[in-house]
Amino acid sequence: MDFTPTEAQTEARDLAARIFGDLATHDRLKAAGTGSDPELWKSLCAAGLVAAVAELGLLGLVLLLEEQGRTTAQAPYAASCVYGVLALTAHGSAEQRDRLLPAVEDGSAVVAGALPAQSGVRASARGELTGTVPVVPWLRDATHVLVADAERRLWLAPLGRGTGIAPVELTAPWSAARLTLERAPAEPLGGRRAYADVLATARTAFAGLQAGVCAGSLARAVAHTGTREQFGRPLATRQAVQLRAADAHMDTEAIRVTAYESAWRRDAGLPYAPHALTAAWWASEAGQRVVHTGQHLHGGTGADLDHPVHRHFLWGRQLDAYLGCGAEVLQELGELIAHGG
C-alpha cells in the first residue's frame, strides 16, 4: 500500500485548502445559516475541483474532503462528487456519462444521495419511483437525486415532476430535506452491484470528511489551550489536557488512515467493502470522541453556539449519525466478515 498523493492530487488538495480557507470564514459561515454558500460552490466548480475527481479517484476525493472538513465549508461538494461524478463514472452507461457528467462537473447540476436503501421506495416497471425518504442531505441544493429503492437498485431522478421536497434541519447545516416521490420519472444507474459499490464509496468519502472535521477541531483546541492561561500557566502544560489531546490525535489519525486504505483499494480495483465499513466505524465511533474533546478543551467557550469549534462539534455528531452509529456499523462489518465478504 502506498498512500502518497500523486502530484495532481497534491496540487488539487492545496488548491482546495486555499479556496476553503479563503471563503469558508467564520463570518461567511454564520451568514450562510443552515444553507450552502453559492459563491463557494461556484469557486470550487470554476477551479475544476469537481470535474477533477473523476481523474483523482476516491483517494484524491478523500484528500479534498479533508480540507472541506477542516473548515466545515457549507457546499454540496461531498454529495455531488460521490453520488454524481464517481457514481456516473463507475456505473453510468457511455450515453449517461456523455449526457450528465458535463453538467455535474461544472456545477450546473448537483446530485444528492438518498442512500442507504429505503424500504419504502418502490420502482415501477416503467421506471417511476414512489415513496418517501425522511432525510436527504444537500437535497435543497440539488437538481438530481440518486435513490436506492427497496431492492437495492440505483435510480437517478431529476427534481421536478413527481418529486417534492420539504426542508429538514439537521444537527449540521447540510441543506437537508424530506424527499417525497410520487410516480417520479427516473433512470436506472448501473447493475445489481452498483448499490454496494456506491454505498462503500460514500462511506469512505464521508469518513475522509470526518477526518478533516476532527483535525480542524483538534487544531482549534491546541491553539486555544496553548494561549489560554490558568494559574499563570497555559492550559496546554497540564498533563490531563495533553493526554486528552493526544488521544484525540490518535483517533483522528485512525480515521484518516482507514479512509485512505479503503480509498486506495477502490482505486486499485481491489475489494474494499470491509475496509469502507472499518473507516466508517472509526469515523463514527472515534469522530464523536474527538469533537467532544475539541469542545471540552475550550471549556465554557466551547459551549458557545457561535464559536467556530462548536460547528466542528455539530458536523462530527452529524457525520456520526449519517454513517450509522458505531454499534450498527460494527454489526454490519461482523456479518460481512462472517459471510466471507
Side-chain angles (χ1 to χ4, degrees), residues 5-233:
T6 64
E7 183 178 350
Q9 289 171 338
T10 300
E11 291 175 353
R13 180 191 61 194
D14 294 345
L15 177 58
R18 288 197 297 272
I19 293 174
F20 287 130
D22 290 343
L23 295 181
T25 63
H26 180 57
D27 290 341
R28 288 181 64 89
L29 290 170
K30 286 183 64 176
T34 60
S36 295
D37 184 337
E39 183 179 342
L40 172 60
W41 178 241
K42 183 178 179 180
S43 296
L44 291 170
C45 296
L49 290 177
V50 178
V53 170
E55 294 296 329
L56 297 176
L58 183 54
L59 180 56
L61 177 59
V62 165
L63 294 170
L64 298 174
L65 290 178
E66 278 193 81
E67 301 306 325
Q68 180 182 8
R70 289 179 199 276
T71 58
T72 61
Q74 291 173 203
Y77 188 58
S80 207
C81 287
V82 170
Y83 301 120
V85 176
L86 291 182
L88 282 166
T89 301
H91 302 290
S93 66
E95 187 277 331
Q96 285 176 318
R97 292 194 298 270
D98 291 342
R99 173 167 50 88
L100 297 169
L101 265 179
V104 176
E105 290 177 341
D106 70 19
S108 57
V110 174
V111 183
L115 274 77
Q118 304 294 319
S119 59
V121 175
R122 301 288 175 177
S124 71
R126 299 174 56 186
E128 294 177 331
L129 303 179
T130 298
T132 301
V133 185
V135 178
V136 181
W138 293 287
L139 186 61
R140 281 181 269 164
D141 298 328
T143 59
H144 295 72
V145 58
L146 186 66
V147 181
D149 68 15
E151 297 182 18
R152 297 192 171 191
R153 296 175 298 180
L154 294 180
W155 301 86
L156 188 62
L159 294 180
R161 182 166 67 88
T163 61
I165 65 172
V168 174
E169 299 304 335
L170 303 180
T171 302
W174 284 3
S175 297
R178 176 187 178 91
L179 174 66
T180 303
L181 302 161
E182 185 62 41
R183 293 192 299 177
E187 57 185 298
L189 186 72
R192 289 288 180 178
R193 296 184 178 181
Y195 169 77
D197 180 63
V198 172
L199 182 59
T201 297
R203 284 168 165 161
T204 303
F206 284 98
L209 184 63
Q210 181 76 301
V213 170
C214 291
S217 174
L218 185 56
R220 291 187 182 280
V222 169
H224 175 77
T225 57
T227 56
R228 174 76 170 176
E229 291 191 359
Q230 193 176 65
F231 305 113
R233 294 170 54 192

Side-chain angles (χ1 to χ4, degrees), residues 285-328:
E285 192 77 4
Q288 56 89 16
R289 288 199 298 265
V290 174
V291 295
H292 273 85
T293 294
Q295 180 161 307
H296 188 197
L297 291 181
H298 278 76
T301 305
D304 182 352
L305 300 183
D306 290 329
H307 195 281
V309 79
H310 190 72
R311 190 175 293 109
H312 289 270
F313 174 77
L314 297 179
W315 275 66
R317 291 310 307 263
Q318 187 62 60
L319 281 162
D320 171 27
Y322 189 57
L323 288 163
C325 75
E328 292 176 344

Side-chain angles (χ1 to χ4, degrees), residues 231-249:
F231 305 113
R233 294 170 54 192
L235 287 172
T237 63
R238 309 289 177 180
Q239 188 178 47
V241 172
Q242 293 171 359
L243 292 174
R244 193 77 188 273
D247 285 343
H249 171 73

